[in-house]
Amino acid sequence: MKLGVYNAILHDRPLPEALKVIADLGLTGIEINTGGFLPAVHVPTMDQILVSDAARDDYLGIFEGTGVAIAGLNCNGNPLHPKREIGEKHTEDIRRSIRLAERLGQNRLVTMSGLPGGEPGSTVTNWIVNAWNSAALDVLDYQWDVAAKFWRGTDRLAADHGVKVALELHPQNIVFNTADVHKFIELTGATHVGVELDASHLFWQQMDPVAVVRELGPLVFQAAAKDVRVNSANAALYGVLDNSFRRLSPEENRTNLGGDEWANEWPKNSAWDFVALGRGHDTAYWTEFLRALHEVDPNMLVNIEHEDTSLGRIEGLEVAAKVLRDADAALSESLNLTA
């Protein structure tokens, strides 16, 4: 397998230093953010790269001799957001990232399916969690129509540039589970839009990432190595959809999500948390996760995403990298034994 790191956790340092961190972890890939919710910190010359071969070659030269190569691009955002200052920006970021991927010799772009408002003229998104009533299905019909129109066009653009777009199955998006993926393909006829299999969001939804990989098969284009720990005592009281988030003030350190939208503070007594690999599921589980991915594509890009707030940036990557390397070694040994 091709193992690397999603670079957002390393945005605090220049690209050459980030590459050294990844190489020191014994990994060989870096998934580079190119817009959307986060700025393209490690591609400051993006506009030049899109039009200048010299700028492109200079950028690619940064990776030479490091032992680390680009392992896909990432432009997570909400291109369907009803606020134009968010939706239109994220849409353009995705389109530009598709063109950039081709320029950099990449054929994978990770993003999200997006989430519209609940009706024409909306200014806020509307995530239908449980459509038990007819009005909720009316909202979903509208949202799927918006999504299908957008993604049909984006699929054509991706095909024109030889890029496969991988949608993270992230709640608060129109596509967040296996049934949604099948519906998405049915409505769009997409050939160049599939899935980024981030196990973490499946865990807390009580889904089995290994089973999902085997169900979706060739629709899985890329994967993220991120774990979840369910805090059973809290989950028993609040459920996994608990909304005890705290709004952060402008004076506090907070992440902008576009326009005047910001990430909130995670619940104190959370039902579940993002954790480094091995802190929610053991190495044996991750070996089977890699096995399922290997069945789809032996050269699958699998990149660590570090969001374990109890561990430092490098500390968390070290913990996750060891588990991922050990799982990969166990998979390789088992494949050799059965060859």
Side-chain angles (χ1 to χ4, degrees), residues 165-177:
V165 177
L167 303 180
E168 181 178 351
L169 300 183
H170 196 300
Q172 292 202 353
N173 281 265
I174 191 71
V175 178
F176 63 92
N177 64 26

Side-chain angles (χ1 to χ4, degrees), residues 130-199:
N130 190 287
W132 66 273
N133 60 323
S134 59
L137 285 179
D138 290 341
V139 170
L140 281 172
D141 287 344
Y142 166 75
Q143 291 179 323
W144 274 108
D145 184 57
V146 172
K149 289 176 181 176
F150 173 84
W151 283 107
R152 287 188 199 109
T154 303
D155 180 64
R156 289 192 296 270
L157 178 67
D160 288 345
H161 291 275
V163 175
K164 293 288 186 77
V165 177
L167 303 180
E168 181 178 351
L169 300 183
H170 196 300
Q172 292 202 353
N173 281 265
I174 191 71
V175 178
F176 63 92
N177 64 26
T178 313
D180 294 334
V181 175
H182 289 310
K183 182 172 183 176
F184 176 89
I185 297 299
E186 178 184 353
L187 290 176
T188 64
T191 60
H192 282 67
V193 182
V195 169
E196 187 231 22
L197 211 297
D198 180 340

Side-chain angles (χ1 to χ4, degrees), residues 65-334:
T66 66
V68 178
I70 302 174
L73 306 183
N74 185 304
C75 189
N76 276 335
N78 185 359
L80 307 183
H81 199 292
K83 287 184 180 177
R84 294 181 60 184
E85 63 268 29
I86 300 176
E88 290 184 1
K89 178 188 180 301
H90 291 183
T91 291
E92 179 52 32
D93 284 353
I94 290 172
R95 291 172 176 166
R96 188 168 63 159
S97 295
I98 289 171
R99 299 194 299 271
L100 179 68
E102 182 184 36
R103 292 285 294 165
L104 295 177
Q106 296 296 304
N107 60 10
R108 293 291 187 271
L109 171 68
V110 175
T111 187
M112 295 174 180
S113 57
L115 183 67
E119 58 188 354
S122 300
T123 60
V124 295
T125 57
N126 186 347
W127 185 40
I128 299 297
V129 178
N130 190 287
W132 66 273
N133 60 323
S134 59
L137 285 179
D138 290 341
V139 170
L140 281 172
D141 287 344
Y142 166 75
Q143 291 179 323
W144 274 108
D145 184 57
V146 172
K149 289 176 181 176
F150 173 84
W151 283 107
R152 287 188 199 109
T154 303
D155 180 64
R156 289 192 296 270
L157 178 67
D160 288 345
H161 291 275
V163 175
K164 293 288 186 77
V165 177
L167 303 180
E168 181 178 351
L169 300 183
H170 196 300
Q172 292 202 353
N173 281 265
I174 191 71
V175 178
F176 63 92
N177 64 26
T178 313
D180 294 334
V181 175
H182 289 310
K183 182 172 183 176
F184 176 89
I185 297 299
E186 178 184 353
L187 290 176
T188 64
T191 60
H192 282 67
V193 182
V195 169
E196 187 231 22
L197 211 297
D198 180 340
S200 66
H201 297 292
L202 307 188
F203 284 137
W204 72 261
Q205 293 184 78
Q206 305 300 302
M207 297 163 64
D208 178 359
V210 173
V212 172
V213 172
R214 291 190 167 128
E215 166 67 18
L216 295 179
L219 290 174
V220 178
F221 294 164
Q222 187 154 321
K226 186 170 68 168
D227 209 344
V228 156
R229 178 188 62 236
V230 175
N231 304 316
S232 57
N234 293 335
L237 293 175
Y238 313 129
V240 297
L241 295 176
D242 179 40
N243 264 333
S244 302
F245 292 83
R246 183 179 72 86
R247 188 191 308 272
L248 294 169
S249 70
E251 292 73 32
E252 295 178 276
N253 184 26
R254 58 182 186 167
T255 300
N256 182 251
L257 302 175
D260 193 31
E261 295 194 5
W262 307 82
N264 296 320
E265 184 181 69
W266 200 255
K268 296 293 187 186
N269 297 313
S270 56
W272 56 272
D273 294 297
F274 293 123
V275 292
L277 259 62
R279 304 184 83 195
H281 299 78
D282 61 16
T283 301
Y285 183 89
W286 291 105
T287 301
E288 295 311 304
F289 179 69
L290 293 183
R291 188 185 309 280
L293 293 172
H294 186 274
E295 292 167 2
V296 175
D297 178 4
N299 294 311
M300 182 76 69
L301 302 177
V302 185
N303 296 319
I304 293 168
E305 183 175 6
H306 173 30
E307 291 188 2
D308 189 330
T309 57
S310 69
L311 298 174
R313 293 172 186 261
I314 305 304
E315 180 188 15
L317 289 175
E318 289 172 343
V319 170
K322 183 181 186 309
V323 172
L324 190 60
R325 291 195 317 268
D326 288 349
D328 187 55
L331 172 63
S332 297
E333 181 179 2
S334 69

